Every structure is written in structure tokens, then in C-alpha cells.
Amino acid sequence: MSIQITPAASDRMRAFLAKAPEAAGVRFSVKRMGCSGFGYVVDLAGAIASDDEVMDIDGIRVVVDPKSLPLVEGTLIDFQRQGLNASFVFHNPNATGECGCGESFTVA
């Protein structure tokens, strides 16, 4: 599996993990939402299921569930600040379209 994390995203994830030492890692997944179909979710992983894919990326344990895995394979996760706003930004080679606001994406 190949998910990449930029240094900015790595720093942000480390900050979250430092505040929650009980977390098993960072969970990266998708859920049905928005007008295009799927939205990204980055959260702390409370537990790791037996069928989760677990990888170490730059010292960060990233956990992906089996349903999300084919939709996020090859994704580059970045973190950007623009004025007062800050958010993770996803560059997903599987996405074939996005909604106008960028909240959700579609796949073929």
C-alpha cells in the first residue's frame, strides 16, 4: 500500500498524537457524504481491527480499514494553512471528480 504524508501533514498528525498518547495511531478512511459520494476522514485510531491495514509512515502509524483502502491507495496527504483556515488536503489518483466545494469526491 502506498499512502504518502508531506512533512506539514506529518507535523500536524504528530501534534494530535502527542495530545492523545493512548491512540493506536491515525485512522485514514472515507465515508459516504457530500454531493459527489465520498469524503475523507482523518482521526485518531482508538483500536485496530484484525482486518485493518497498518503502516508506518515517517514514524506515524496509519490505519486504513479494508473498505477505504482501494479508494485511498496512492493518496498524498498534505496539510495547508490559508489565512485563518487550516486543513488536510488530499491528492488522490483514484478520484475521478470532486464537488465544487471540494468536500467530496467520486471514483470510477
Side-chain angles (χ1 to χ4, degrees), residues 50-69:
S50 62
D51 59 349
D52 282 340
E53 180 76 28
V54 180
M55 64 208 83
D56 182 283
I57 304 173
D58 193 27
I60 298 170
R61 182 182 287 167
V62 177
V63 182
V64 182
D65 66 83
K67 289 183 181 179
S68 298
L69 189 58

Side-chain angles (χ1 to χ4, degrees), residues 15-91:
F16 281 130
L17 289 167
K19 293 178 183 176
E22 73 284 355
V26 174
R27 183 169 291 281
F28 179 41
S29 62
V30 297
K31 68 178 183 177
R32 289 208 171 269
M33 63 186 275
C35 51
S36 287
F38 296 100
Y40 300 102
V41 179
V42 178
D43 202 357
L44 295 174
I48 298 173
S50 62
D51 59 349
D52 282 340
E53 180 76 28
V54 180
M55 64 208 83
D56 182 283
I57 304 173
D58 193 27
I60 298 170
R61 182 182 287 167
V62 177
V63 182
V64 182
D65 66 83
K67 289 183 181 179
S68 298
L69 189 58
L71 301 174
V72 299
E73 176 71 33
T75 297
L76 171 67
I77 305 172
D78 194 8
F79 183 77
Q80 296 180 351
R81 294 184 185 278
Q82 294 178 354
L84 298 175
N85 298 320
S87 63
F88 286 107
V89 177
F90 307 94
H91 303 281

